[in-house]
Amino acid sequence: MTRTILALSPLLLVGACQQEAGTAPEYRPQEAGTVDHALCLLGFSAVPVQEIDPGHHLIQARINGQSGKFVLDTGANLTVIDASRAESFGMSADGEAFAGLGGSPGAGASGSARPAAIDSLEIGSIAVRQSRVVIADLGQLLTELGRVSGEEVSGIIGQDILSEHRAIIDVARPMLYLMEADEDPAPIAVERCEQPDRPGE
């Protein structure tokens, strides 16, 4: 059976300009009037994003307790781990191979892809509600991104995770917002988004 796992994502993108390289965005969920505060009240948490040329974005994630850098790819339907890195995350393919990875040529995947089970996946403070990802050869894409970023890149975070956690991407800062709760509206403690009282006030 042939499956196409790469397609455009319906994610909300905020902003349009690039952040100055090497600077980390400031997260201000307790400052009223900011995007951070508004999204905090809606149940979103933020994860800093590293922007690299040519317009790609990397995020830190943990699979089975092991950390790695991943490409944030709104054009990929599924989250894909490079075959050469799967063992380092304690993963092995356990399902029938897909016939191909057709779709966006920018994905850089080649050859067959196989599903794999995972025990845990975390992005920032968010425990991702997902128990399976895909293992495939992403060598050409990740080699180039690794050269540009100076870091080892382990795979792609795709639309399956981003859609499940209602991702919002502020491309101007850049910052990724994910909703942890699987409810709408998300139940949160409002105190999380308020300035703490100062002594004597």
Side-chain angles (χ1 to χ4, degrees), residues 66 81-92 135:
Q66 299 299 312
I81 310 304
D82 185 53
S84 69
R85 299 282 296 134
E87 188 175 343
S88 68
F89 292 106
M91 298 167 49
S92 60
I135 296 176

Side-chain angles (χ1 to χ4, degrees), residues 41-137:
L41 291 172
L42 293 173
F44 287 88
S45 295
V47 180
V49 176
Q50 177 186 351
E51 186 172 41
I52 61 172
D53 291 336
H56 292 90
H57 297 84
L58 300 180
I59 60 171
Q60 188 88 20
R62 293 178 300 282
I63 297 178
N64 296 336
Q66 299 299 312
S67 295
K69 284 290 181 75
F70 296 83
V71 181
L72 187 62
D73 191 344
T74 62
N77 278 1
L78 300 178
T79 293
V80 183
I81 310 304
D82 185 53
S84 69
R85 299 282 296 134
E87 188 175 343
S88 68
F89 292 106
M91 298 167 49
S92 60
D94 63 359
E96 181 182 349
F98 302 141
L101 288 179
S104 168
S110 62
S112 64
R114 299 178 67 92
I118 55 174
D119 294 325
S120 65
L121 198 164
E122 300 165 285
I123 300 176
S125 63
I126 303 295
V128 173
R129 294 185 297 273
Q130 186 150 317
S131 61
R132 298 181 75 77
V133 295
V134 170
I135 296 176
D137 179 11

Side-chain angles (χ1 to χ4, degrees), residues 154-176:
S154 299
I156 291 170
I157 298 295
Q159 219 184 106
D160 50 352
I161 289 174
L162 300 177
S163 296
E164 174 67 23
H165 290 272
R166 306 186 64 175
I168 296 174
I169 303 173
D170 184 341
V171 297
R173 297 176 69 188
M175 190 80 81
L176 169 67

